[in-house]
Amino acid sequence: MLPEKTIERLSKYRRYLLEKLEQQEEYLYSHELAAALHLTPEQVRRDIMLIGYTGTQRKGYSIKELIEVISKILDGDNKINAVIIGMGHLGKAISNYFSIKRSNIEIVAAFDIDSSKVDRIISGIKSYHVDNLDLIINETDAKIAILTLSPAGAQDITDQLVYAGIKGILNFTSVTLRVPEDVYIENYDMITSLEKVAYFVKENINNEGTL
Amino acid sequence: MLPEKTIERLSKYRRYLLEKLEQQEEYLYSHELAAALHLTPEQVRRDIMLIGYTGTQRKGYSIKELIEVISKILDGDNKINAVIIGMGHLGKAISNYFSIKRSNIEIVAAFDIDSSKVDRIISGIKSYHVDNLDLIINETDAKIAILTLSPAGAQDITDQLVYAGIKGILNFTSVTLRVPEDVYIENYDMITSLEKVAYFVKENINNEGTL
DNA sequence: AAAACAATGTTATTTTAATAACAATTATTT
DNA sequence: AAATAATTGTTATTAAAATAACATTGTTTT
Ligand SMILES: NC(=O)c1ccc[n+]([C@@H]2O[C@H](COP(=O)([O-])OP(=O)(O)OC[C@H]3O[C@@H](n4cnc5c(N)ncnc54)[C@H](O)[C@@H]3O)[C@@H](O)[C@H]2O)c1
Ligand SMILES: NC(=O)c1ccc[n+]([C@@H]2O[C@H](COP(=O)([O-])OP(=O)(O)OC[C@H]3O[C@@H](n4cnc5c(N)ncnc54)[C@H](O)[C@@H]3O)[C@@H](O)[C@H]2O)c1
């Protein structure tokens, strides 16, 4: 099992590599990738070593091959399906983002409780009423859920998702969810990110010149 | 200077503590906080030690006091102002989220290039045309910017922001931004979060029972 | 008032992650 | 064809973060 941080970086590497591939580039060096993502070349090389790929000295890494190796790690043999719950502002932003930046995770269905947002296609994703949750998750064999619904319904929906066989949740609601041990949860809160930025901005301003 | 990870957790602690305060609770134990946020009690106690607060043994931490101490760390003496660039789906979701969950960072202005989204108030935030960027940032003394605009304009806007005196950026565009050393950037990409969830879901499924 | 208990605060240890160092190798130049 | 330069792959070192251990102390019970 690879370190969490390496997994995060691999995802970023792949996104950058895909851009380069579109620009018809064939090879790249560890220091290019590092510079683009604000990392060190050593770290890039170490990550690539860990996934067992080797480039050619003096020439760098084959972009095409590296993408393939990373994809094998991140995607495994078969693709993985996801659903999204709550098609408000955030849900739409994410759906739309996924339809543009392709990833090997496919969002196969969206759900909402509001009948005006249901039974239509939004950013290429079919939207269903939450009453069909269990049915559609089983039909599509989705294993991941993205939660962008109102906080009030979050725990209740989570219980239903777990029952339906969801094994990973990306949670954008501010609710702290209770799930069985074998369900992996990743919480994300923009306020935390922003407060972190604020803290380091303040530290920087205070220490101006003293570093 | 406190560790990055501690800062992230402090933000989460505060959010949880504020909830508890609203429920009229007075004290809480390290293990309660830990359980709620999927951490260990040791880590909670260590973080609290690092910020120099002490609870009372057998009784736990005073919720009110702990919030005050964390706020002093995260907010410092004076509040910090932020602006948001791009009032599309994501920009609106964030503005709205901030107007509900209060934080001591204030979003003082929003900007967009689309005249139909400009010169009105969205989720309590006044929205301006980007042409006024420099003017408004100076007037409001904003130090942080949240980027939720279309990728195409991101680097150009960033240059303007830096020129106007912005010192911290929370970047949601997929563009890798170039900034001077004294500007702190936090990049966030949902695809990375989701691919991380997918990876650990797969690992879990593969290792079922073998752990 | 004494004893038992249950929580904190802090130091020590372990684990994980990042950085650095450098030998091996492969293109390129002379 | 030999020398040079530049980049990789890997091991060693350092730094950061998390966990564990445990002595200390305030609270409760008897
Ligand atoms: N973590 C973050 O950084 C962050 C940022 C912004 C918003 N949020 C949160 O994300 C969520 C969505 O934000 P938004 O701005 O899109 O809000 P929104 O009100 O625009 O959208 C919420 C959607 O969820 C639907 N919904 C409500 N209850 C439901 C249920 N039981 N089942 C299915 N659908 C249901 C609503 O009909 C609506 O379409 C909120 O919980 C908000 O607090 C989090
Ligand atoms: N990081 C992530 O996880 C994530 C998720 C979703 C979307 N995104 C990105 O966030 C951005 C916004 O997404 P969205 O769904 O809200 O898109 P959107 O198209 O709904 O909104 C973009 C807004 O930016 C405005 N804009 C364009 N150029 C501008 C400029 N030069 N100055 C000011 N405003 C400008 C547009 O008028 C529009 O209102 C996009 O870059 C998208 O790729 C990132």
Side-chain angles (χ1 to χ4, degrees):
Chain A
M1 181 121 74
L2 295 162
E4 271 200 42
K5 290 298 164 65
T6 296
I7 296 298
E8 284 183 28
R9 284 191 296 267
L10 288 177
S11 168
K12 291 177 183 178
Y13 295 164
R14 177 164 66 173
R15 250 189 326 122
Y16 186 80
L17 291 165
L18 285 167
E19 271 178 43
K20 285 284 157 188
L21 192 69
E22 270 178 23
Q23 293 161 22
Q24 321 289 335
E25 307 265 335
E26 281 196 51
Y27 285 86
L28 107 170
Y29 301 121
S30 58
H31 62 254
E32 292 179 88
L33 195 48
L37 304 182
H38 305 296
L39 303 166
T40 64
E42 291 80 13
Q43 190 160 60
V44 169
R45 291 209 300 277
R46 208 169 194 297
D47 286 336
I48 292 176
M49 185 197 92
L50 287 175
I51 62 175
Y53 178 67
T54 62
T56 51
Q57 275 150 339
R58 202 70 203 274
K59 218 173 157 189
Y61 302 97
S62 153
I63 292 177
K64 196 161 155 290
E65 284 177 21
L66 188 48
I67 290 172
E68 277 166 16
V69 176
I70 293 177
S71 296
K72 197 149 236 159
I73 303 273
L74 293 183
D75 308 327
D77 292 328
N78 23 24
K79 293 200 176 189
I80 194 157
N81 290 338
V83 298
I84 183 163
I85 322 285
M87 280 305 255
H89 285 301
L90 190 56
K92 275 184 210 155
I94 295 176
S95 308
N96 191 41
Y97 188 58
F98 262 77
S99 67
I100 299 167
K101 320 279 313 170
R102 82 179 142 317
S103 153
N104 291 35
I105 298 162
E106 194 179 349
I107 302 184
V108 291
F111 297 91
D112 206 296
I113 206 167
D114 178 347
S115 51
S116 76
K117 286 172 184 157
V118 151
D119 291 325
R120 33 204 211 93
I121 291 175
I122 305 174
S123 312
I125 298 164
K126 179 79 193 287
S127 163
Y128 301 89
H129 192 276
V130 274
D131 288 350
N132 305 302
L133 206 63
D134 193 66
L135 180 71
I136 304 287
I137 287 176
N138 278 294
E139 264 181 26
T140 58
D141 193 38
K143 287 279 171 274
I144 294 180
I146 304 166
L147 300 194
T148 53
L149 74 164
S150 319
Q155 183 63 56
D156 178 45
I157 290 286
T158 301
D159 296 342
Q160 292 183 45
L161 289 168
V162 169
Y163 178 79
I166 290 292
K167 293 293 178 198
I169 293 175
L170 176 51
N171 177 31
F172 286 99
T173 78
S174 49
V175 179
T176 309
L177 301 169
R178 287 181 306 280
V179 292
E181 268 208 0
D182 66 333
V183 176
Y184 182 92
I185 287 204
E186 174 90 5
N187 291 300
Y188 180 70
D189 190 336
M190 286 155 203
I191 291 186
T192 297
S193 291
L194 203 57
E195 289 184 336
K196 191 174 157 193
V197 173
Y199 177 79
F200 288 106
V201 164
K202 262 185 291 232
E203 288 293 316
N204 261 345
I205 291 175
N206 291 341
N207 302 337
E208 209 149 277
T210 66
L211 259 168
Chain B
M1 182 121 73
L2 296 161
E4 271 201 40
K5 291 296 164 66
T6 297
I7 296 298
E8 284 183 27
R9 285 190 297 266
L10 288 177
S11 167
K12 291 177 184 178
Y13 295 164
R14 178 164 66 174
R15 249 188 329 118
Y16 186 79
L17 291 166
L18 285 168
E19 271 178 46
K20 284 283 155 189
L21 192 69
E22 269 176 26
Q23 293 161 24
Q24 320 289 335
E25 306 264 336
E26 281 196 52
Y27 286 86
L28 107 170
Y29 301 122
S30 58
H31 59 84
E32 291 180 87
L33 196 47
L37 305 182
H38 306 296
L39 303 167
T40 63
E42 292 79 15
Q43 191 159 61
V44 170
R45 291 208 301 276
R46 207 168 195 297
D47 286 335
I48 292 176
M49 186 199 90
L50 286 176
I51 62 175
Y53 178 68
T54 62
T56 51
Q57 275 151 339
R58 200 72 201 274
K59 218 173 157 189
Y61 302 97
S62 153
I63 291 177
K64 197 161 153 291
E65 284 177 19
L66 188 49
I67 290 173
E68 278 166 17
V69 176
I70 292 176
S71 295
K72 198 150 237 162
I73 303 272
L74 293 184
D75 308 329
D77 291 327
N78 22 25
K79 294 199 172 187
I80 195 158
N81 290 339
V83 297
I84 184 163
I85 322 285
M87 281 305 255
H89 286 301
L90 190 56
K92 276 184 209 154
I94 294 176
S95 309
N96 191 42
Y97 188 59
F98 262 76
S99 66
I100 299 167
K101 317 281 313 170
R102 85 182 139 314
S103 153
N104 291 37
I105 298 162
E106 193 179 349
I107 301 184
V108 290
F111 297 91
D112 207 296
I113 206 167
D114 178 347
S115 51
S116 76
K117 285 171 185 158
V118 151
D119 292 325
R120 36 205 210 94
I121 291 175
I122 304 173
S123 313
I125 298 165
K126 180 80 194 290
S127 163
Y128 302 89
H129 192 275
V130 273
D131 288 350
N132 305 302
L133 204 63
D134 193 66
L135 181 71
I136 304 287
I137 287 176
N138 278 293
E139 264 180 26
T140 57
D141 193 39
K143 288 279 171 273
I144 294 180
I146 303 167
L147 299 194
T148 52
L149 74 164
S150 319
Q155 183 62 57
D156 179 44
I157 291 285
T158 300
D159 295 342
Q160 293 182 45
L161 290 168
V162 169
Y163 177 79
I166 289 292
K167 293 293 178 198
I169 293 175
L170 176 51
N171 177 31
F172 286 99
T173 78
S174 50
V175 178
T176 308
L177 301 170
R178 287 181 307 279
V179 292
E181 267 207 359
D182 66 334
V183 176
Y184 183 92
I185 289 204
E186 174 91 5
N187 292 300
Y188 179 71
D189 191 332
M190 287 157 202
I191 292 186
T192 296
S193 291
L194 202 57
E195 289 184 337
K196 192 174 157 192
V197 173
Y199 177 78
F200 288 107
V201 164
K202 261 184 291 228
E203 288 293 316
N204 260 345
I205 291 174
N206 289 342
N207 301 338
E208 211 149 277
T210 65
L211 259 169

